[in-house]
């Protein structure tokens, strides 16, 4: 055990709590991710501690020092504390035994720090700092693995993943977040045990997937999931993109293309002051999933050409289904699906210029996802043909310029007809019902096609449409 840190590197709350536990005759150590992050040069506000004190003894030590506490994890030996801006969890040393068919462990409290560290997921998270002495405890080589960029488990990976299959998702997440490689034995265990992810709740799988996609190198994490078979159980639409190439290789490798689009989209995220602050899960996940409709729509045309007609619409439906199964919230599902559905819309502009009406519709259909759609569309260009790539880039530059010009004239994102539903009913003398919606949509289409009409012209056009509609009805 060595002392590698001075006190300025540690959050003040950690040192204060360490002195309190020491005075009370208990051990306390900072453990897991916060210790790992110290070696990576960052300081965490969420602090995890382990101790030989029981939950009741932890509460007694922290009473009067913590600004607040909670006991939701008490059955697992965990007490939550808040001190200023620091969120703290203190967990009694544990030695867990898992039911092989359940994620929920049977908890037994342990007696030694080293035993507690052995039960953790990976060696890079199996390090501890004793407090307040700042002695490093690293019995399983976490520092050397972190330095070498290797992900290993303290014990046999088969035992670790059998105890908690979610750790396989965490392996992919750490591969992405830290840009490191799992050890060969870890990969082999993931391949052998991938099916056990099925006993994990969709919510917990979703949370790990979000962290993976938001990582430093999400391509590495997705590749690991696909190569080990984990994606077949969690996100089967992605390995399905590894379609058999036609004999003349007339279409690109869709799987590799999707990973490239994902990384290019991440590169287009902005800082906190920009319109799409990174990491942005919605943009990244839409980039990864934008072509998932291709396997179902792949057709070989006469002459051998390969087509994927309507893969955008089909893909949007698949995205909704998968994200619902992973228990994503409705807003995130809607936004990702909208981006997938619209990602091909621009190519009509690149082939032939659009009218102002078409530009308005593009903006209106994108709604609050316009800035993400800009980035997804640009990221979707992965061709090696430099002239084609430049042509598409210039075309999208022109589209953005026209959007800005039209936006200066009117608020495109909030385009509405000059008449609302109440006015429509008063002018036409009709009650609430589907006819009001038809009239509203007619006026909205006029607004998109012709721009601002003005109130009086809108009334005149509405009455003319209503009269024409009445003449067209049978028996009129």
């Amino acid at each position: 055990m060595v002392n590698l840190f001075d006190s300025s590197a540690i959050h003040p709350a950690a040192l204060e709590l360490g002195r309190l536990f020491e005075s009370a005759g208990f051990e306390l150590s900072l453990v897991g991710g916060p210790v790992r992050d110290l070696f990576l040069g960052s300081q965490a506000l969420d602090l995890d501690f382990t101790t030989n004190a029981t939950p009741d003894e932890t509460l007694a030590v922290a009473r009067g020092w913590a600004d607040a506490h909670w006991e939701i994890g008490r059955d697992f030996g965990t007490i939550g504390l808040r001190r200023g801006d620091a969120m703290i969890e203190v967990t009694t040393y544990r030695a867990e035994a898992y039911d092989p068919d359940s994620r929920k462990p049977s908890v037994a409290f342990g007696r030694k720090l080293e035993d507690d560290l052995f039960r953790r997921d990976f060696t890079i998270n199996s390090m501890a700092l004793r407090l307040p002495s700042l002695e490093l405890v690293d019995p399983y080589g976490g520092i050397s693995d972190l330095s070498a960029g290797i992900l290993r488990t303290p014990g046999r990976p088969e035992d670790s993943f059998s105890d908690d299959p979610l750790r396989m998702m965490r392996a992919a997440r750490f591969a992405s977040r830290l840009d490191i490689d799992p050890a060969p034995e870890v990969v082999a265990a993931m391949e052998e045990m991938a099916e056990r992810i099925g006993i994990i709740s969709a919510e917990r799988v979703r949370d790990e997937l979000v962290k993976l996609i938001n990582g430093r190198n999400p391509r590495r994490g997705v590749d690991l999931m696909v190569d080990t078979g984990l994606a077949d159980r969690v996100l089967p639409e992605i390995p399905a993109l590894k379609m058999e190439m036609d004999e003349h290789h007339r279409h690109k490798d869709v799987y590799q293309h999707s990973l490239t689009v994902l990384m290019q989209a991440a590169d287009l995220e902005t800082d906190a002051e920009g319109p799409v602050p990174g990491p942005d899960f919605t943009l990244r996940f839409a980039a990864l999933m934008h072509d998932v409709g291709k396997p179902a729509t792949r057709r070989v045309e006469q002459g051998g050409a390969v087509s994927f007609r309507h893969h955008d619409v089909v893909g949007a439906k698949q995205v909704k289904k998968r994200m619902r199964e992973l228990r994503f919230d409705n807003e995130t599902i809607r936004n990702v699906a909208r981006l997938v559905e619209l990602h091909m819309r621009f190519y009509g502009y690149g082939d032939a210029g659009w009218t102002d009406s078409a530009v308005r519709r593009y903006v209106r259909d994108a709604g609050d996802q316009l800035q993400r759609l800009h980035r997804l569309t640009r990221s979707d260009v992965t061709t090696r043909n430099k002239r084609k790539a430049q042509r598409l880039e210039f075309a999208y530059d022109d589209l953005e310029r026209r959007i800005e010009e039209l936006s200066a004239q009117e608020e495109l994102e909030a385009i509405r007809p000059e008449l609302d539903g109440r006015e429509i009913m008063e002018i036409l003398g009709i009650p609430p019902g589907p006819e009001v919606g038809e009239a509203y949509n007619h006026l909205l289409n006029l607004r998109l096609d012709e721009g601002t009409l003005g109130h009086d012209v809108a009334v005149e056009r509405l009455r003319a449409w209503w009269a024409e509609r009445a003449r067209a009805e049978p028996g009129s």
Side-chain angles (χ1 to χ4, degrees):
M1 290 182 286
V2 294
N3 185 323
L4 296 179
F5 299 99
D6 60 54
S7 59
S8 64
I10 311 298
H11 195 287
L15 297 172
E16 293 174 12
L17 194 60
R19 287 189 285 268
L20 286 175
F21 271 75
E22 183 181 52
S23 297
F26 297 113
E27 298 176 1
L28 184 75
S29 297
L30 186 66
V31 71
V35 179
R36 178 198 67 230
D37 290 344
L38 282 171
F39 285 100
L40 296 175
S42 60
Q43 185 185 75
L45 292 181
D46 293 339
L47 303 175
D48 294 331
F49 298 89
T50 188
T51 180
N52 61 346
T54 66
D56 285 338
E57 290 167 337
T58 292
L59 285 171
V61 172
R63 186 173 294 117
W65 177 81
D67 297 326
H69 78 273
W70 51 95
E71 304 179 35
I72 296 176
R74 186 189 186 100
D75 289 345
F76 296 96
T78 300
I79 297 297
L81 306 171
R82 180 176 61 80
R83 171 76 170 184
D85 63 355
M87 304 301 292
I88 295 167
E89 287 190 351
V90 181
T91 302
T92 305
Y93 294 157
R94 297 196 301 205
E96 295 175 347
Y98 288 81
D99 181 334
D101 297 320
S102 173
R103 167 62 183 89
K104 298 180 179 179
S106 173
V107 177
F109 295 147
R111 297 182 178 181
K112 294 176 58 179
L113 173 60
E114 288 77 8
D115 292 342
D116 182 88
L117 295 178
F118 183 77
R119 54 160 288 278
R120 296 179 180 270
D121 53 4
F122 301 105
T123 60
I124 61 173
N125 297 327
S126 297
M127 300 181 285
L129 279 181
R130 291 191 185 275
L131 298 172
S133 66
L134 301 184
E135 290 180 318
L136 176 67
V137 182
D138 182 21
Y140 307 109
I143 291 179
S144 60
D145 286 346
L146 190 62
S147 177
I150 297 175
L151 196 65
R152 294 190 304 112
T153 53
R156 288 183 356 115
E158 294 84 357
D159 296 335
S160 181
F161 298 155
S162 179
D163 284 348
D164 184 358
L166 189 66
R167 289 172 174 171
M168 293 184 287
M169 284 293 299
R170 287 171 62 83
R173 187 241 291 188
F174 284 123
S176 167
R177 180 187 169 190
L178 303 178
D179 202 7
I180 60 178
D181 290 316
E185 66 270 18
V186 171
V187 175
M190 291 175 68
E191 293 173 346
E192 179 183 344
M193 306 179 69
E195 64 183 24
R196 279 189 55 77
I197 198 67
I199 70 171
I200 302 297
S201 71
E203 291 83 357
R204 300 202 69 189
V205 170
R206 173 203 64 207
D207 291 347
E208 291 296 331
L209 180 63
V210 170
K211 293 173 183 176
L212 183 161
I213 297 298
N214 284 346
R216 182 193 310 172
N217 188 351
R219 182 176 197 143
R220 188 187 291 268
V222 174
D223 261 336
L224 180 59
M225 287 180 59
V226 171
D227 291 345
T228 59
L230 202 59
D232 290 326
R233 280 81 178 175
V234 172
L235 205 61
E237 294 79 7
I238 297 305
L241 294 176
K242 288 191 169 187
M243 294 179 289
E244 181 179 346
M245 297 285 287
D246 63 283
E247 60 178 339
H248 300 294
H249 297 273
R250 291 175 178 169
H251 70 85
K252 66 186 71 174
D253 182 326
V254 182
Y255 172 70
Q256 292 298 331
H257 164 74
S258 297
L259 293 182
T260 299
V261 175
L262 166 61
M263 298 303 293
Q264 292 184 167
D267 287 340
L268 293 179
E269 293 167 340
T270 66
D271 60 20
E273 304 302 318
V276 186
D280 187 273
F281 173 79
T282 297
L283 171 62
R284 293 185 181 201
F285 198 58
L288 176 64
M289 302 288 282
H290 76 286
D291 275 347
V292 295
K294 281 190 170 181
T297 59
R298 183 178 186 269
R299 298 290 183 273
V300 179
E301 308 290 349
Q302 287 186 350
V306 177
S307 68
F308 304 97
R309 290 191 179 93
H310 308 301
H311 76 272
D312 43 359
V313 176
V314 172
K317 293 179 181 178
Q318 290 177 297
V319 164
K320 288 180 181 178
K321 182 175 183 293
R322 178 58 51 199
M323 294 183 74
R324 289 191 187 107
E325 290 181 358
L326 289 170
R327 304 292 191 270
F328 278 92
D329 63 277
N330 290 334
E331 181 179 3
T332 303
I333 294 173
R334 174 180 62 82
N335 292 342
V336 173
R338 175 66 59 85
L339 291 170
V340 172
E341 184 177 1
L342 294 177
H343 83 273
M344 291 294 294
R345 179 78 66 87
F346 158 73
Y347 290 96
Y349 186 92
D351 296 335
W354 284 355
T355 63
D356 286 352
S357 171
V359 175
R360 291 188 187 100
R361 290 177 189 276
Y362 186 77
V363 174
R364 180 176 179 271
D365 289 347
D368 59 2
Q369 299 306 299
L370 181 62
Q371 290 295 332
R372 287 184 174 121
L373 182 59
H374 286 336
R375 286 155 178 78
L376 174 59
T377 303
R378 289 184 181 276
S379 301
D380 197 22
V381 178
T382 62
T383 178
R384 294 180 180 178
N385 185 322
K386 291 184 178 180
R387 292 183 63 184
K388 181 179 180 181
Q390 288 178 344
R391 177 173 58 82
L392 291 171
E393 181 180 2
F394 291 154
Y396 207 86
D397 287 344
D398 184 64
L399 175 58
E400 287 202 58
R401 177 188 58 77
R402 291 184 62 193
I403 289 173
E404 290 179 3
E405 290 176 353
L406 287 171
S407 294
Q409 301 170 19
E410 54 187 328
E411 288 294 327
L412 286 175
E413 295 86 350
I415 287 179
R416 298 288 186 275
E418 280 86 349
L419 307 177
D420 61 21
R422 178 185 58 78
E423 292 172 302
I424 290 171
M425 288 187 289
E426 289 179 357
I427 293 167
L428 300 181
I430 59 176
E435 291 175 331
V436 179
E438 291 179 35
Y440 184 91
N441 287 332
H442 173 70
L443 290 174
L444 177 59
N445 286 327
L446 290 177
R447 178 78 168 80
L448 291 168
D449 290 338
E450 302 178 26
T452 303
L453 298 175
H455 182 274
D456 292 344
V457 174
V459 171
E460 180 183 339
R461 298 287 290 275
L462 174 64
R463 286 175 171 157
W465 170 80
W466 184 251
E468 180 66 28
R469 182 179 181 276
R471 287 193 295 270
E473 290 181 351
S476 61

